[in-house]
Structures are given as structure tokens and as C-alpha cells.
């Protein structure tokens, strides 16, 4: 690549130097802090694209943004700067954003950006650079079709794009001298990781009404429950993508969450809303194919997850009750899909059991943050919780878990069980197994080994899987084996 110190180098920001688009970064940071700002966006758009950028820049201090840079581009710019080349940041981003980036990197002689209602993009950027440096008097680094007018008037076109990107071919057809800087593109693996398919394991709860009613041999019911499983999974994935977009800044500062596709840059931020919308449309479409009621119920789930992401997860205790409710919501989705009414016992058991797991999830996060804070010598505070709240969470979580086991014991002694099982007494073995598993999970959380959602963690844990297998085995034996008949010798 030619290094001519006499020729100034103009560099685009969004998609070229920065991974993604700072407009999206500002928008989601604003939405995280002021959710109601979403209602103002249409009004801001009436002021034009430049007006929207200005409004978002006023709502969020760009100096506090944690931005991701394309490593190959940043390394090359530092080489050019060290060689004494004049580098200009020429971007359609708002002036305040461009100034913040320039101050952070210390590479740019000057900044050209959107300001005063003038959106510096495409032809406008080309005109501004030609007015300053003359026709073919500068080199320009950009990344997409909006940069084509600039490349036409530049001496050299530097195209920042993944290998095989069509923009490279288009630029070579219109510019005299083209250099390609390859950067990582979005992969299928990154898209799948952003969907968090491992979290779909929680949606197995939609099959609980069919299994509890002993109607799992009826194919139509299984088909409907499977459709509900897929619909809930797709909509849940849409919710995870939305949550990751809203939490971009926080996730990039988190020791584990910074590796999520959107936070790490493996999935470009502008692709996030498109992925979320596609997942949502597919999920609602499948749910509507089963019934309108299921589609509405899935939509309620989405609204709850959005409310949780935007506001409720910052509210002490309310957050864990909402999390527990979302688990029970999945069971009710299965009931709506199959038209099997859940029993009082099932709803009572799920309420206490999932509240315990929600407490466990929050407790494990607090323990994890406490250890990280201790290393840095700062106080622990996460989503309104403080270090002294760990004992309270343990007490409430343990009480909820043991209440679930108590409800299970009462259920085993109910007429429902005697009608469904040949030997209900075998079912009593569930109680010590569930007590052991809950106790073990809480001990694991205290030791910092619960690094994910408790149910998802349990599916990776061999002891938890063994406990589940034993519980299924005991339930099957209780259903098909009549011990009284065997003992009496009448079978």
C-alpha cells in the first residue's frame, strides 16, 4: 500500500474505522437510559437525518461510549500517522461523536462531520473534501456504496470490507486506484450464537402440560406443543438480540458478556435489528398457525421480556419475580397450544420452584461481580443489589425451593396422583432428589460455578442430568408398576 506523506488521507468512521455504526450505538444507548425516547424518534426524524443524529448525541455523551474499532484499519492508520501522514476523519456521524473518537485515538489532524443540519454523507462528503484538497488531491478510506461518490474524486480508494464483498468490485469499476483492507464479516456462527439456541432448552417447559396429563402419546398434541416450542424459541431469540443491543455498553465492560456477538463485533450492530425482526416474524407466524390465542400469548411474552430488559431488571426483587413468571409463562404456552388446562398443583409448584431458580440466577451473578469487584477494590452494586443482599437472596431462594418440594409432597398425596399412577408411593422419591438438586445448585452458586441460567447449566451438569433421569425413571415406574399387586403375588 502506497505511503505518500504529501497526500492527505481521509477516513470514514462508521463501518470503516468503527465496527458497525455509531448512530446505532447512540440510539440503543439512549433507549437503555431513556426508553420513552423511542416515542420521540419520529419527531426527531422530522428534522432530517442530521437532526436525529444531533438529538441522539445530545441525549448520550459520546465520550462515554465504548466503541469497537477494526483492528487492521486502526493498525494501518497508526503506521500512516507514525510516517507523518496527514489524516482527516471525514464522517457522516455527528460532530460530537467524531470529536470524541478523534480525542480518544489522537490520530487525526482535523475532523469533518455532520453538523449544523448538514448531513456529511455521499456527494456532500465528496464536495467537502474536493473543496478542501482538490480533485484527486486526497486518498479516501470507506466501506459501502455511500462512499462511491467520494472514491470517484479521490486519488486512491481504500475499501474496508470483508473478503469477497461486492463493494470491492463496484469500487474497482469506478475508481482508478483501489486498495482493499480485509476485515472480518458476519458469520453464520455469530448469528446462531446471538440467538442463544442453548437457551431454547428452557422452552421444553411447553411440553409439561402434555406430560403431566399423560397424553404424550397423542401425536396432534405433540405437534402443537412442538410448534409452541419453536415459536417461543424464535421469539425468545428475538428478545435476546434486543437485550444485547440495549446492553451493548454494559456488556463490553463485563468480563464474560463482552464476548457476545454484538458486544464483541462478531455480529455488526446494524444487523442486530434485522435479525431480531426476522426472528420475531417467524415466531409469531408459527404461533398464529397453531392458534390466535397462542400468538397473543407469545406476544405477551415478548412484551414482558422487553419490559424486563428496559426497566424491570433494574428493580430489586421485581426482576426475579418477572423471571420466575417467564418460566411459568412457557408452561401456560404449552397449555394454550394443546388446550390442556394446567392443574392447581402444577402452577403452585412452578411458582415456587422457578422463583427459587430466579433468586439463584441473581445470586450467582452477584457473587461473580463481588469477586471481580474485590480484585479491583470497589464496592459491589448490580441492578440495585448490594453485597449485603446475598444473604437475603439465599434465604428467599431456599425458602421458595423448599416450598416447591412441600407442594410436590402434597400433590403426591392427592387424588390426582392416585388416579394417574399405579404406585404413587414411588413418586415420593422425587422429594429427596429435588431437595438434593436444589441444595447442590445453591452450594454451586456460592462457589461461583453457576455461570449461566440455572436450567441451562443443569443440562450441562452430569449430576443434574442423572437426577433428572432418576426422576423420569421413578415417574415411569410409578405409572406402570403396581407394587401392591406384585407384593401380594396377584400379578
Amino acid at each position: 500500500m502506497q505511503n505518500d506523506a504529501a497526500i492527505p488521507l481521509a477516513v470514514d468512521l462508521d463501518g470503516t474505522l468503527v465496527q458497525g455504526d455509531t448512530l446505532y450505538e447512540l440510539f440503543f444507548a439512549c433507549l437503555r437510559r431513556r426508553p420513552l425516547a423511542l416515542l420521540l424518534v419520529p419527531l426527531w426524524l422530522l428534522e432530517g437525518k442530521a437532526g436525529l443524529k444531533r438529538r441522539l448525541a445530545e441525549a448520550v455523551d459520546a465520550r462515554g461510549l465504548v466503541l469497537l474499532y477494526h483492528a487492521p484499519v486502526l493498525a494501518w492508520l497508526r503506521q500512516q500517522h507514525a510516517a507523518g501522514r496527514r489524516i482527516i476523519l471525514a464522517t457522516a456521524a455527528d460532530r460530537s461523536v467524531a470529536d470524541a473518537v478523534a480525542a480518544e485515538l489522537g490520530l487525526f489532524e482535523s475532523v469533518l462531520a455532520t453538523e449544523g443540519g448538514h448531513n456529511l454523507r455521499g456527494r456532500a462528503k465528496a464536495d467537502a473534501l474536493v473543496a478542501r484538497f482538490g480533485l484527486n488531491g486526497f486518498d479516501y478510506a470507506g466501506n459501502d456504496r455511500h462512499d462511491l461518490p467520494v472514491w470517484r474524486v479521490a486519488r486512491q480508494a481504500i475499501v474496508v470490507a470483508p473478503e469477497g464483498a461486492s463493494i470491492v468490485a463496484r469500487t474497482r469499476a469506478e475508481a482508478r486506484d483501489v486498495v482493499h483492507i480485509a476485515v472480518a464479516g458476519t458469520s453464520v456462527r455469530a448469528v446462531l450464537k446471538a440467538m442463544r439456541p442453548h437457551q431454547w432448552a428452557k422452552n421444553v417447559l411447553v411440553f409439561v402440560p402434555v406430560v403431566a396429563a399423560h397424553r404424550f402419546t397423542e401425536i396432534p398434541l405433540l405437534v402443537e406443543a412442538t410448534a409452541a416450542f419453536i415459536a417461543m424459541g424464535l421469539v425468545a431469540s428475538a428478545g435476546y438480540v434486543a437485550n444485547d443491543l440495549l446492553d451493548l455498553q454494559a456488556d463490553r465492560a463485563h468480563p464474560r458478556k463482552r464476548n457476545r456477538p454484538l458486544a464483541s463485533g462478531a455480529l455488526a450492530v446494524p444487523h442486530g435489528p434485522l435479525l431480531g425482526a426476522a426472528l420475531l416474524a417467524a415466531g409469531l407466524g408459527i404461533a398464529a398457525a397453531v392458534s390466535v390465542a397462542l400468538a397473543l400469548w407469545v406476544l405477551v411474552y415478548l412484551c414482558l421480556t422487553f419490559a424486563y430488559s428496559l426497566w424491570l431488571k433494574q428493580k430489586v426483587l421485581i426482576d426475579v419475580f418477572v423471571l420466575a413468571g417467564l418460566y411459568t409463562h412457557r408452561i401456560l404456552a404449552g397449555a394454550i397450544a394443546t388446550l390442556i388446562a394446567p392443574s392447581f398443583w402444577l402452577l403452585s409448584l412452578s411458582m415456587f420452584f422457578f422463583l427459587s431458580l430466579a433468586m439463584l440466577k441473581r445470586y450467582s451473578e452477584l457473587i461473580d461481580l463481588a469477586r471481580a469487584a474485590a480484585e479491583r477494590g470497589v464496592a459491589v452494586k448490580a441492578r440495585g443489589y448490594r453485597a449485603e443482599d446475598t444473604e437475603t437472596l439465599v434465604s428467599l431462594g431456599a425458602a421458595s425451593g423448599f416450598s416447591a418440594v412441600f407442594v410436590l409432597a402434597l400433590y403426591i398425596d392427592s387424588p390426582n396422583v392416585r388416579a394417574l399412577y399405579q404406585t404413587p408411593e414411588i413418586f415420593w422419591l422425587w422429594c429427596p432428589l429435588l431437595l438434593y438438586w436444589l441444595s447442590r445448585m445453591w452450594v454451586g452458586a456460592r462457589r461461583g460455578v453457576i455461570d449461566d441460567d440455572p436450567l441451562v447449566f443443569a443440562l450441562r451438569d452430569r449430576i443434574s442430568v442423572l437426577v433428572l433421569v432418576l426422576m423420569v425413571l421413578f415417574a415411569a415406574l410409578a405409572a406402570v408398576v403396581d407394587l401392591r399387586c406384585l407384593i401380594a403375588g396377584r400379578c
Side-chain angles (χ1 to χ4, degrees):
M1 186 177 297
Q2 184 175 0
N3 179 9
D4 189 348
I7 301 296
L9 171 64
V11 182
D12 179 41
L13 181 63
D14 296 324
T16 302
L17 177 56
V18 169
Q19 297 182 34
D21 192 320
T22 55
L23 180 62
Y24 285 82
E25 301 273 355
L26 286 172
F27 174 75
F28 289 113
C30 177
L31 198 58
R32 157 57 64 208
R33 300 173 191 180
R34 297 169 53 193
L36 293 180
L38 183 63
L39 302 176
L40 298 175
V41 170
L43 298 177
W44 293 347
L45 277 171
L46 294 177
E47 302 176 20
K49 194 74 173 288
L52 174 64
K53 294 176 182 179
R54 179 177 57 81
R55 291 286 190 176
L56 289 173
E58 290 173 352
V60 179
D61 187 352
R63 292 171 298 180
L65 291 179
V66 180
L67 299 175
L68 299 178
Y69 300 100
H70 279 132
V73 178
L74 187 56
W76 175 64
L77 288 179
R78 283 174 173 157
Q79 290 176 354
Q80 299 294 303
H81 183 265
R85 191 169 191 184
R86 300 165 60 199
I87 305 177
I88 296 89
L89 183 61
T91 174
D94 186 78
R95 180 79 192 204
S96 63
V97 177
D99 286 342
V101 171
E104 178 184 353
L105 298 180
L107 297 173
F108 304 104
E109 174 191 86
S110 58
V111 174
L112 297 175
T114 294
E115 59 183 326
H118 182 60
N119 191 30
L120 196 73
R121 188 180 195 183
R123 189 71 240 175
K125 185 186 293 187
D127 293 341
L129 289 171
V130 169
R132 184 163 182 175
F133 302 111
L135 183 65
N136 304 133
F138 62 95
D139 295 343
Y140 178 71
N143 70 292
D144 64 18
R145 61 184 178 83
H146 299 289
D147 295 312
L148 287 171
V150 189
W151 282 322
R152 292 191 193 105
V153 296
R155 187 196 69 154
Q156 184 181 70
I158 298 101
V159 184
V160 178
E163 290 288 355
S166 61
I167 188 62
V168 179
R170 291 186 62 182
T171 308
R172 284 179 175 149
E174 299 194 29
R176 295 175 302 171
D177 185 7
V178 178
V179 174
H180 177 208
I181 299 180
V183 293
T186 296
S187 65
V188 174
R189 181 178 180 182
V191 171
L192 291 175
K193 188 176 179 181
M195 291 171 59
R196 302 189 209 175
H198 63 284
Q199 296 283 0
W200 284 34
K202 294 183 288 189
N203 295 325
V204 172
L205 294 170
V206 303
F207 293 97
V208 169
V210 176
V211 174
H214 287 203
R215 298 179 64 184
F216 45 81
T217 58
E218 300 179 30
I219 301 301
L221 292 182
L222 288 178
V223 170
E224 290 168 345
T226 301
F229 171 84
I230 296 173
M232 290 291 293
L234 291 170
V235 172
S237 290
Y240 294 137
V241 171
N243 182 74
D244 288 352
L245 287 169
L246 293 170
D247 285 348
L248 274 175
Q249 296 302 310
D251 285 353
R252 286 173 183 163
H254 194 277
R256 282 188 292 106
K257 295 179 181 180
R258 65 185 178 187
N259 295 320
R260 289 175 174 175
L262 285 164
S264 66
L267 177 62
V269 173
H271 295 164
L274 298 176
L275 175 61
L279 292 169
L280 175 60
L284 290 178
I286 292 173
V290 176
S291 69
V292 174
L294 179 61
L296 292 174
W297 192 244
V298 170
L299 194 58
V300 169
Y301 172 85
L302 180 69
C303 293
L304 284 173
T305 56
F306 273 137
Y308 175 79
S309 296
L310 288 171
W311 180 51
L312 296 177
K313 73 177 181 181
Q314 307 296 333
K315 305 299 178 182
V316 175
L317 293 182
I318 292 178
D319 61 335
V320 291
F321 278 90
V322 172
L323 278 177
L326 290 174
Y327 282 119
T328 303
H329 193 284
R330 293 174 170 90
I331 295 177
L332 294 175
I336 291 171
T338 58
L339 299 180
I340 298 175
S343 68
F344 159 80
W345 298 107
L346 178 58
L347 293 179
S348 299
L349 175 63
S350 67
M351 178 180 68
F352 288 114
F353 180 71
F354 293 126
L355 181 58
S356 179
L357 293 188
M359 296 278 187
L360 175 65
K361 176 180 173 65
R362 193 61 72 238
Y363 173 78
S364 63
E365 291 175 351
L366 200 57
I367 289 293
D368 189 29
L369 287 173
R371 290 178 176 171
E375 295 176 357
R376 299 193 301 266
V378 297
V380 179
K381 189 173 182 181
R383 295 178 181 175
Y385 291 93
R386 298 193 293 267
E388 57 266 32
D389 295 330
T390 54
E391 294 181 3
T392 303
L393 289 174
V394 170
S395 300
L396 294 175
S400 298
F402 280 69
S403 296
V405 178
F406 181 67
V407 170
L408 176 62
L410 293 177
Y411 169 66
I412 293 171
D413 197 40
S414 70
N416 305 58
V417 172
R418 288 192 289 272
L420 292 172
Y421 295 90
Q422 297 284 341
T423 311
E425 290 77 9
I426 298 179
F427 228 144
W428 279 101
L429 294 173
W430 271 42
C431 292
L433 283 173
L434 194 56
L435 283 170
Y436 166 74
W437 183 78
L438 285 169
S439 301
R440 184 174 180 274
M441 291 292 285
W442 276 99
V443 170
R446 182 65 184 88
R447 294 177 178 178
V449 299
I450 310 295
D451 60 351
D452 207 331
D453 185 282
L455 284 184
V456 177
F457 171 83
L459 294 177
R460 303 196 310 262
D461 178 52
R462 288 180 296 178
I463 299 298
S464 297
V465 172
L466 177 60
V467 169
L468 177 62
V469 170
L470 288 175
M471 292 176 73
V472 172
L473 177 62
F474 291 145
L477 289 175
V480 301
V481 176
D482 189 342
L483 284 182
R484 297 184 187 86
C485 179
L486 289 174
I487 293 173
R490 295 193 299 270
C491 299

